[in-house]
Amino acid sequence: MVAGLDVHYHGDDELTAAVVVLDSGTLSVVEQVTVHGRTTFPYVPGLFAFRELPALVEALERLTVTPDLLVCDGYGLAHPRGFGLACHLGVLTGLPSLGVAKTPFVGTHTTPGRERGSWTPIVLGDSTVGRALRTQRAIKPVYVSPGHRIDLDTVTDQVLRLAPRFRLPDPIRKADHLARHGT
DNA sequence: GCGACAG
DNA sequence: ATCTTGTCGC
């Protein structure tokens, strides 16, 4: 089972966190949870986890099933301190996790080929911390990195498998939809 | 030293 | 993230 996580913001300081658990094989919804709350930390690049983590952890605690993988909206290892949102969530829950970001944040990379599945490394210092991955032909790549208890090849395989039709993996799309529309 | 910077 | 106007494509 694979869980997608996302947070939606309303008004001054209100937020809704959503977690959607999908059957890894059929990509059908197994369970979904939303948590409403207020922001307790501003958006600061590099400290993103402090903003979204509390509500997401609460949503995860309300699940009746235990996911085998957390698919997070943001970075994991590819982070200025090597510890993005996906890492925090993975360590706190003890579950394998990965991060999928929509824009480049740290490190350097070249543009991957335009075919679905092509990728280039994201390099920070002298190590590879993630990949710019093309999930759909000629569509902007996504930026993936390991969170916890997962390697970069597995991250790449899973994200591709979970994004058969659109740019973003289904778990994230469904969590995004749930957080903003409540269904 | 200054600016830019996941969502 | 959010907002807004406009365009493209199935």
Side-chain angles (χ1 to χ4, degrees), chain A residues 7-79:
Chain A
V7 176
H8 179 247
Y9 297 88
H10 345 244
D12 286 334
D13 63 347
E14 298 164 277
L15 59 81
T16 300
V19 178
V20 178
V21 180
L22 310 189
D23 179 290
S24 173
T26 64
L27 298 188
S28 57
V29 178
V30 171
E31 184 175 9
Q32 49 183 40
V33 169
T34 56
V35 166
H36 304 288
R38 294 181 175 282
T39 56
T40 58
F41 201 89
Y43 169 68
V44 181
L47 302 182
F48 185 49
F50 293 102
R51 181 170 172 81
E52 301 213 333
L53 203 75
L56 288 173
V57 167
E58 192 176 333
L60 286 170
E61 284 170 346
R62 294 189 190 178
L63 290 176
T64 65
V65 296
T66 303
D68 301 291
L69 176 66
L70 303 181
V71 179
C72 311
D73 192 10
Y75 278 105
L77 224 203
H79 175 272

Side-chain angles (χ1 to χ4, degrees), chain A residues 24-150:
Chain A
S24 173
T26 64
L27 298 188
S28 57
V29 178
V30 171
E31 184 175 9
Q32 49 183 40
V33 169
T34 56
V35 166
H36 304 288
R38 294 181 175 282
T39 56
T40 58
F41 201 89
Y43 169 68
V44 181
L47 302 182
F48 185 49
F50 293 102
R51 181 170 172 81
E52 301 213 333
L53 203 75
L56 288 173
V57 167
E58 192 176 333
L60 286 170
E61 284 170 346
R62 294 189 190 178
L63 290 176
T64 65
V65 296
T66 303
D68 301 291
L69 176 66
L70 303 181
V71 179
C72 311
D73 192 10
Y75 278 105
L77 224 203
H79 175 272
R81 289 298 198 288
F83 208 77
L85 174 66
C87 301
H88 281 247
L89 280 165
V91 170
L92 283 180
T93 59
L95 300 173
S97 64
L98 61 83
V100 179
K102 298 179 285 294
T103 62
F105 181 40
V106 286
T108 57
H109 64 88
T110 58
T111 304
R114 33 178 0 187
E115 293 308 307
R116 165 176 157 87
S118 54
W119 54 263
T120 53
I122 296 173
V123 177
L124 185 57
D126 37 359
S127 60
T128 293
V129 294
R131 286 174 182 165
L133 173 66
R134 198 82 75 168
T135 54
Q136 296 298 326
R137 185 180 211 288
I139 299 298
K140 249 198 304 185
V142 293
Y143 305 88
V144 304
S145 57
H148 187 54
R149 294 173 52 192
I150 194 168

